[in-house]
Amino acid sequence: MLFIKGNREQGNGVSIVLANRAQARTTLEKLPLFTEKAYINGKWTEATSRKSFDIFGADKYSHEKIGSCPEMGEEDVVSAISSAQRAFKSFQHTHPKARAKLLRKWYNLMMQYRNELATILMYENGRPLSGALQEIDYAAAFLDWFAGEAERSYGYSAQGSIPGNRFVTVAQPVGVVGILTPWNFPSAMITRKIAGAIAAGCSVVIKPAAETPYSALALAKLAEQAGLPEGVMNIVTTNKNVSSVGKVMTTHDDVKKISFTGSTGVGKLLMQQASSTLKKCSFELGGNAPYIVFDDADLSLVMQGLLAGKFRGSGQTCVSPNRIYVQAGIYDKFIDTFKKETQAQIRPGPLENADTTLGCLITPKAVSKLTNLVADAQSKGAKVVLGGERAPDAAETFYPATILKDMTSNMEASNTELFGPVATIYRFEAEAEVIEAANRSPVGLAGYVYTQDVARAWRTAEALEVGMTGINTGIVSDPYAPFGGIKQSGFGREGGRHGIEEFQIQKTITMGGLGMPLTPL
Ligand code: SIN
């Protein structure tokens, strides 16, 4: 086993122990859902070029691989699109009830293989088992939700402006969907998109993140068992050819919709490419979530939301509290309580241990980014309350739970999505001041407000320039609710009532010559 010490002075005194590389590989190899092949037209396949790329797991202390996947290129993605297009011709006409049944069966299989799916996710992503299991439940819930939505796909009817005409609108599947997903939720970002697409009657080509392809492939194995017809779900794996594969997906005539979760920069490029054939797009991009705590807040709710939101996935989520604004009257008490709660509840340790709550970051580069942001903040006056320094013998991908106070808007961290377990605290005096500060960002995904004053809660929630606001809660992600941002956090909604609409077009059918009598007034 590989032992890596946490920071005993500032951390919670628990050494982090990561899985042994050989153990990760040996465990993965034994899992029936683990595969190192891509999936096109219902076949498990290599790349046409026969090339492959390496995947580094949670235990990349010395950057050794836990497996490989086909390094696919343009010809493979073209073949996946053709397969999806062929499948779409018949899949679009399947009865919504049949699609609902299929999604439910897939959901049940996910529950049956919950531990296996979580183990794959844990090793490729670096989440501790507890967090990986939470993600599997979250991911599966999208299949369940969209199973219901498949049958609730409404158009409407009305009288036209032309006397004797009537029209109805009919929701139809948009066609082949190109799906590009990130590494931070290797399972949930796949199901959130594909379940909506399948419920609508679309077929898909998925390019999972190069860092975490195994969860997507494991889900495809279960989809196969659930009876998903061949060609409806295709998975193209690639690392080096990400740009050219993405370009084919965003420019191919047969792809009618692009659904992307990832960075704002990549989103802009994909949108530019997708404009060549005017594809329907939904983009869920970066955030810089304000987390506002007023003097009258219920501190236990504040802590519950902050610990859950800030350290979920080691802080690598787009909705993670990125700027924590605390009103002056409660500032010192908040910091003391937050430090104690973090020390008590955020536990690094062996990923497989049920009580480990802090895992690894995705790459050593993510650690360097945090190291630089923390150094920049300190150089401009921020004070370290907890963590802030990695033990010299820590794993390359480990960063300790860190709290910085006295943050100011001139620090790089205030304009950067931290994507790590670093909590940055800003002091404020007045409501207008904090709204102004919170909205001073080009992105707007999630925001949070804590107060017991109902009027202030509503005012703040509506004033925040974000797609989702949590009032007295740190969790806004729910398959039942629409998820998505505004400003440069993207557009489109996933989950909730609008989730299925993203994969549909509303066709208007007008019927004339009805000879309806019109009585003059
Ligand atoms: C994300 O970080 O992209 C998604 C977060 C969530 O679904 O909660």
Side-chain angles (χ1 to χ4, degrees):
M1 295 289 273
L2 196 60
F3 291 85
I4 296 118
K5 287 196 198 91
N7 186 332
R8 288 176 188 278
E9 288 307 306
Q10 294 168 318
N12 60 15
V14 180
S15 295
I16 184 164
V17 185
L18 299 185
N20 175 295
R21 282 185 295 282
Q23 181 194 319
R25 177 69 201 178
T26 314
T27 308
L28 288 172
E29 273 170 351
K30 287 193 198 123
L31 301 178
L33 294 184
F34 177 71
T35 174
E36 294 175 278
K37 295 220 163 88
Y39 188 60
I40 296 180
N41 201 27
K43 314 266 175 321
W44 295 96
T45 179
E46 302 290 348
T48 310
S49 65
R50 303 275 141 191
K51 288 188 183 153
S52 61
F53 65 97
D54 295 340
I55 285 108
F56 300 90
D59 43 10
K60 47 182 154 326
Y61 185 69
S62 55
H63 258 246
E64 285 182 37
K65 68 174 187 179
I66 59 162
S68 62
C69 263
E71 181 66 88
M72 295 192 136
E74 291 181 28
E75 49 197 330
D76 299 296
V77 69
V78 166
S79 143
I81 293 168
S82 307
S83 136
Q85 177 62 15
R86 273 193 309 277
F88 177 65
K89 289 203 163 94
S90 55
F91 193 65
Q92 64 176 319
H93 301 300
T94 50
H95 196 280
K97 205 172 187 66
R99 300 198 296 269
K101 209 166 148 195
L102 190 148
L103 287 167
R104 280 215 180 85
K105 195 159 172 199
W106 193 4
Y107 166 82
N108 289 332
L109 285 165
M110 278 193 78
M111 290 295 93
Q112 188 181 328
Y113 288 96
R114 185 171 175 262
N115 287 322
E116 194 172 312
L117 291 167
T119 304
I120 293 171
L121 197 154
M122 171 179 82
Y123 284 130
E124 66 176 353
N125 172 273
R127 275 187 189 219
L129 190 60
S130 56
L133 285 165
Q134 269 172 21
E135 180 175 339
I136 298 305
D137 292 344
Y138 179 47
F142 285 103
L143 300 182
D144 192 42
W145 167 257
F146 280 110
E149 287 300 279
E151 294 180 79
R152 285 162 199 48
S153 185
Y154 304 107
Y156 68 101
S157 74
Q159 179 164 317
S161 69
I162 299 171
N165 278 11
R166 296 287 183 275
F167 71 83
V168 293
T169 68
V170 182
Q172 293 188 323
V174 65
V176 174
V177 181
I179 291 178
L180 300 107
T181 55
W183 49 260
N184 64 337
F185 284 87
S187 193
M189 294 307 103
I190 302 278
T191 55
R192 178 147 91 185
K193 295 174 190 297
I194 189 175
I198 285 176
C202 298
S203 56
V204 304
V205 176
I206 303 172
K207 191 211 71 61
E211 295 85 351
T212 57
Y214 295 134
S215 291
L217 296 167
L219 287 172
K221 285 210 154 193
L222 294 181
E224 211 175 29
Q225 273 192 53
L228 193 70
E230 67 177 33
V232 173
M233 176 180 189
N234 303 275
I235 303 186
V236 174
T237 56
T238 178
N239 181 16
K240 275 211 193 79
N241 303 324
V242 166
S243 324
S244 55
V245 163
K247 182 143 192 205
V248 172
M249 284 170 86
T250 47
T251 53
H252 197 292
D253 265 332
D254 285 345
V255 176
K256 297 294 187 280
K257 153 100 193 180
I258 294 292
S259 179
F260 168 68
T261 296
S263 72
T264 297
V266 174
K268 286 180 184 176
L269 176 70
L270 294 178
M271 189 165 167
Q272 206 172 36
Q273 291 173 179
S275 71
S276 65
T277 47
L278 287 176
K279 296 187 197 318
K280 191 172 158 100
C281 292
S282 47
F283 287 171
E284 198 263 278
L285 311 174
N288 185 0
Y291 192 94
I292 302 172
V293 181
F294 285 102
D295 281 344
D296 67 343
D298 175 336
L299 210 49
S300 68
L301 288 180
V302 171
M303 290 303 139
Q304 213 176 302
L306 193 50
L307 291 161
K310 184 68 241 179
F311 299 107
R312 177 173 172 236
S314 293
Q316 301 171 111
T317 82
C318 303
V319 291
S320 180
N322 210 55
R323 292 167 293 158
I324 304 161
Y325 293 105
V326 183
Q327 205 164 13
I330 200 178
Y331 192 80
D332 292 334
K333 186 170 175 203
F334 167 92
I335 284 165
D336 279 355
T337 316
F338 186 35
K339 179 178 178 184
K340 281 191 199 111
E341 291 295 329
T342 305
Q343 284 174 315
Q345 294 190 43
I346 304 306
R347 294 177 295 272
L351 296 180
E352 299 88 344
N353 278 12
D355 66 348
T356 299
T357 51
L358 185 68
C360 298
L361 299 184
I362 193 70
T363 54
K365 210 169 139 198
V367 172
S368 321
K369 174 183 155 187
L370 289 180
T371 308
N372 293 339
L373 288 171
V374 169
D376 172 77
Q378 280 183 275
S379 75
K380 292 172 181 160
K383 312 231 169 17
V384 175
V385 177
L386 183 72
E389 220 182 299
R390 296 177 61 245
D393 54 352
E396 280 177 274
T397 52
F398 179 72
Y399 198 89
T402 293
I403 302 176
L404 299 181
K405 68 172 183 177
D406 299 347
M407 295 289 298
T408 47
S409 62
N410 63 335
M411 298 169 184
E412 277 175 42
S414 81
N415 299 310
T416 311
E417 195 171 16
L418 292 154
F419 246 57
V422 175
T424 49
I425 303 161
Y426 303 71
R427 183 197 295 262
F428 76 92
E429 303 284 340
E431 183 180 321
E433 169 202 347
V434 75
I435 299 291
E436 206 273 320
N439 287 341
R440 213 183 300 128
S441 170
V443 293
L445 187 59
Y448 307 87
V449 52
Y450 284 78
T451 174
Q452 297 192 63
D453 177 336
V454 176
R456 180 157 59 190
W458 273 110
R459 269 198 314 272
T460 314
E462 292 197 10
L464 286 179
E465 293 171 3
V466 293
M468 299 168 284
T469 310
I471 299 177
N472 294 330
T473 177
I475 303 292
V476 291
S477 312
D478 185 329
Y480 290 27
F483 185 104
I486 60 168
K487 303 207 277 190
Q488 293 188 35
S489 287
F491 46 84
R493 291 294 177 266
E494 297 186 313
R497 185 162 66 80
H498 302 292
I500 191 167
E501 292 168 3
E502 296 288 341
F503 301 100
Q504 294 173 320
I505 51 156
Q506 286 288 336
K507 176 175 284 177
T508 307
I509 302 177
T510 305
M511 188 148 187
L514 298 178
M516 300 292 185
L518 267 189
T519 308
L521 270 181

